[in-house]
Amino acid sequence: MNLTDDFILKCQAGVPVLLDDICAVYPATLREIAGVGYTKFLMLIQTILITKPVLDKGNEELEKILDSMNEFQYFLTMVSMDKEFNELAKEAFSFFSKEKVSFSLDPAQIVIGPLVEKHFLDESHFFSLREILKKMYFLDDGEEEIVIHEDDSPRVKDIKRKMIKNRELVAKAKKKGGKSSDLAFSDLVGSVALKVPGLNLNNIFDLTYYAFQDQLKRMGWQEEYDTNTRAALAGAKINKNQLKYWIRPIRGTGSES
């Protein structure tokens, strides 16, 4: 799905995004996230965004089984085999859609709400839900998912596994290098509440997670622009890109820079 202005406004305002006639997807506020705990919130969203593991060589039989599944099938297999994952998945859907769910392997679907209402989340809608969540919670890196198909040649499968591994390593490196290990999410909340006019530690928790990340990103852009402008006026040589104005579009994770 495209990151349209209508979608962004809903995420900023806390208006649910409809996934056809199946369910609504809600932009959580910081207060709701604080209620479950930030660590738990990350666990809930990653449960729905689960990816198949990339195995080391030597597990050919298990590799063959995994290659025969896409992420939707793998998700349903996990909820059927792992009780803890099943409970976490139900909690995740309850948090993001405000609905109770049940899972079915045959037919492969997720039942949203009461069975009699027939709101069935099938494979295509599952991937649509994942795209909505990625954009709504600033997790979209702009890259398409790498899917290993059962009928891919062994060489293509090997290349795709390496690509997935490389992406994981790059993501870990960015996470490690981009933030101080001592900087908690609560530190970001406190900082934005202090810096952004009109916000304080009472009303900042009414912001959606999207609106908070949007403000955090723009706060950084504005600070960078002001600092570089002052430096340029003082005679410092500043690259033209460093003087990019801070009012500009948010793309994907809000990472346009």
Side-chain angles (χ1 to χ4, degrees):
M1 64 167 295
N2 294 323
L3 194 64
T4 64
D5 195 45
D6 286 345
F7 179 88
I8 291 173
L9 286 170
K10 287 182 178 182
C11 293
Q12 289 174 327
V15 176
V17 174
L18 297 180
L19 179 55
D20 290 341
D21 63 345
I22 299 171
C23 67
V25 186
Y26 289 81
T29 64
L30 296 191
R31 194 177 307 281
E32 290 171 320
I33 291 170
V36 299
Y38 184 63
T39 301
K40 184 63 173 290
F41 159 73
L42 294 178
M43 289 175 62
L44 294 177
I45 198 164
Q46 289 303 329
T47 297
I48 298 178
L49 299 180
I50 189 172
T51 57
K52 297 184 295 181
V54 178
L55 304 176
D56 295 326
K57 289 188 177 181
N59 297 291
E60 287 80 7
E61 192 168 336
L62 187 53
E63 273 185 2
K64 187 175 181 180
I65 294 173
L66 288 174
D67 288 348
S68 68
M69 303 178 185
N70 58 30
E71 261 63 28
F72 176 62
Q73 294 161 337
Y74 181 67
F75 175 87
L76 289 179
T77 300
M78 287 295 294
V79 296
S80 68
M81 295 177 61
D82 188 321
K83 183 179 179 181
E84 185 177 345
F85 186 87
N86 183 293
E87 292 301 315
L88 200 58
K90 288 179 179 177
E91 192 173 349
F93 273 93
S94 177
F95 184 81
F96 294 113
S97 72
K98 314 294 185 188
E99 296 278 5
K100 292 184 178 180
V101 299
S102 55
F103 307 107
S104 168
L105 274 175
D106 188 19
Q109 62 188 16
I110 300 168
V111 183
I112 309 288
L115 181 60
V116 292
E117 294 182 2
K118 297 182 179 180
H119 295 305
F120 302 132
L121 192 76
D122 59 14
E123 184 176 303
S124 64
H125 286 108
F126 178 76
F127 286 106
S128 295
L129 171 64
R130 284 160 64 102
E131 287 304 307
I132 290 173
L133 289 175
K134 285 178 184 179
K135 290 176 170 59
M136 186 176 283
Y137 292 98
F138 270 64
L139 295 170
D140 181 22
D141 57 11
E143 296 180 323
E144 292 185 11
E145 287 193 47
I146 300 171
V147 180
I148 300 175
H149 300 286
E150 188 176 9
D151 56 356
D152 285 339
S153 69
R155 176 169 172 74
V156 170
K157 288 177 181 177
D158 191 46
I159 291 172
K160 286 184 176 180
R161 290 190 190 101
K162 287 179 180 177
M163 290 171 66
I164 293 171
K165 279 283 189 183
N166 287 337
R167 277 194 187 179
E168 290 174 353
L169 291 172
V170 169
K172 286 179 182 178
K174 284 183 178 179
K175 187 175 181 180
K176 186 177 180 181
K179 294 181 181 178
S180 167
S181 59
D182 295 327
L183 196 62
F185 187 69
S186 57
D187 296 317
L188 299 177
V189 172
S191 299
V192 173
L194 179 66
K195 179 68 176 176
V196 177
L199 287 181
N200 55 56
L201 281 177
N202 289 321
N203 62 21
I204 194 170
F205 288 97
D206 296 324
L207 290 180
T208 64
Y209 185 83
Y210 186 98
F212 172 78
Q213 292 289 353
D214 177 283
Q215 290 297 285
L216 180 64
K217 191 68 180 178
R218 295 183 189 280
M219 185 179 80
W221 285 344
Q222 185 183 40
E223 190 71 27
E224 181 182 28
Y225 175 79
D226 290 345
T227 300
N228 290 332
T229 299
R230 288 194 297 268
L233 291 173
K237 290 184 178 180
I238 302 296
N239 188 292
K240 185 179 179 180
N241 289 334
Q242 293 177 288
L243 293 174
K244 193 172 184 180
Y245 196 48
W246 59 274
I247 298 179
R248 57 185 190 263
I250 294 287
R251 294 283 185 256
T253 58
S255 59
E256 182 180 284
S257 56

